[in-house]
Amino acid sequence: MNYLLLHFGKHPQYLDKCLKNILKVDPESQIYLCTDVYAKYEDVKIIHSENIISSQTREIISKNIYQDTSYEKNKLWELALLRIFYLRDMAQKLNLKNIIHFDSDVLTYINSKDLEQYFEIEKINITRLKEKELVFGYSYFHSPHLLEELCENVFNYLNKFSNKSIWKDDPKNEMEILGEIYIKQPDMFNILKSYPSTSNEIIFDPAMYGQIVGGTHSKPRRYLPMNFYKYGENDNRKKNFPRGGWLDKNHYDSEKFYNTKGRVVFKNKKPILKNNMGEFKIANLHIHSKELFKYV
């Protein structure tokens, strides 16, 4: 398996934890990290973005699609969208297939060989955050042509909508754009389950479990026990200590988790969902608090 990750700008400590956890869990895999700065990690192949960038990716950059929008001040929104194109460029340039990709604040806990049964090789395998949003909590692409197909759809979407006046007031982020493509072309995608329906299933975390465990970036978990979290549409947890995790009512499977009295526990340093059906392994945690060192 080939793990393709991206991180532009100064590398944070949590990226190192993300990479090392892959090597622990999946030691036979190869990790590639695309970046725009100098970097060196043991057993990780560094790919400089300028060495693989395509003309289409340059064109998207030149459009500056988030200029004069609410996303302009935070470059992470633009980079989150551009990474789809950089992933395609890297896969094509290096002639890679069997690709796993997720955000750099994700920890993976299960060897990819044990997850292959959940992947469909002719589809884009990805996690679903909300009813109309897809997210790279975990994704799998069997071949580069799937990334090419996704890029063409995103490229056409941006050409169609980013020049309209309404875009300035209501721009779409990467998750929303992927969600709209999914709604129109659902057969392109295989949604990786984030909540089990049968026994012995392994489930994937779009962001829900990582936020229950660690809270959010602006309000990480502090002091309260692991099983304590707040549930709702608006995050009204205390700004000061103590505070627990966060279960966003808008996340796709949060209601199922809440109504079945779900809990996330750790066994042998790996996350487990416990509910009234039993216990289920969680393949990954999307740690929005960025405190990955607590959960490796």
Side-chain angles (χ1 to χ4, degrees), residues 111-143:
N111 190 292
S112 58
K113 291 180 181 178
D114 297 324
L115 299 175
E116 290 178 352
Q117 60 183 309
Y118 300 101
F119 303 149
E120 295 188 26
I121 63 173
E122 296 299 328
K123 295 186 179 183
I124 297 164
N125 300 266
I126 193 169
T127 46
R128 185 180 196 174
L129 181 66
K130 299 180 181 179
E131 180 72 29
K132 297 181 180 180
E133 293 183 18
L134 304 184
V135 66
F136 288 107
Y138 204 103
S139 66
Y140 169 77
F141 301 84
H142 179 68
S143 65

Side-chain angles (χ1 to χ4, degrees), residues 174-185:
E174 158 224 20
M175 297 177 290
E176 293 169 326
I177 293 171
L178 292 176
E180 292 199 22
I181 294 171
Y182 168 64
I183 290 170
K184 292 182 178 179
Q185 300 184 68

Side-chain angles (χ1 to χ4, degrees), residues 41-55:
Y41 297 94
E42 187 175 355
D43 296 322
V44 176
K45 293 187 177 181
I46 304 299
I47 309 298
H48 199 282
S49 56
E50 279 298 314
N51 293 334
I52 53 97
I53 189 171
S54 66
S55 58

Side-chain angles (χ1 to χ4, degrees), residues 145-163:
H145 92 265
L146 292 166
L147 278 162
E148 177 65 34
E149 184 179 5
L150 183 59
C151 284
E152 286 302 313
N153 276 272
V154 175
F155 185 78
N156 292 337
Y157 181 96
L158 293 173
N159 280 339
K160 183 176 181 179
F161 294 106
S162 65
N163 291 324

Side-chain angles (χ1 to χ4, degrees), residues 12 15 21 43 53 61 83-84 98-100 111 124-125 156 185 203-204 208 214 217 219 231 247-249 260 269 272:
L15 174 60
N21 224 57
D43 296 322
I53 189 171
I61 293 172
R83 66 78 177 267
I84 301 172
N98 286 327
I99 296 163
I100 288 176
N111 190 292
I124 297 164
N125 300 266
N156 292 337
Q185 300 184 68
I203 54 176
F204 298 81
M208 180 173 73
H217 192 196
K219 295 180 183 178
Y231 177 55
L247 177 58
D248 193 328
K249 194 172 185 178
T260 57
K269 298 184 178 180
I272 301 290

Side-chain angles (χ1 to χ4, degrees), residues 58-101:
R58 291 188 188 279
E59 184 177 348
I60 290 293
I61 293 172
S62 69
K63 289 179 181 295
N64 202 6
I65 60 169
Y66 289 134
Q67 185 176 13
D68 298 326
T69 73
S70 58
Y71 292 143
E72 183 177 19
K73 290 183 179 179
N74 189 344
K75 285 295 181 182
L76 289 178
W77 290 112
E78 183 180 18
L79 289 172
L81 179 61
L82 286 172
R83 66 78 177 267
I84 301 172
F85 294 90
Y86 279 113
L87 278 172
R88 184 273 316 274
D89 296 347
M90 187 161 41
Q92 289 187 340
K93 185 78 172 181
L94 301 175
N95 193 27
L96 299 175
K97 63 177 185 177
N98 286 327
I99 296 163
I100 288 176
H101 169 70

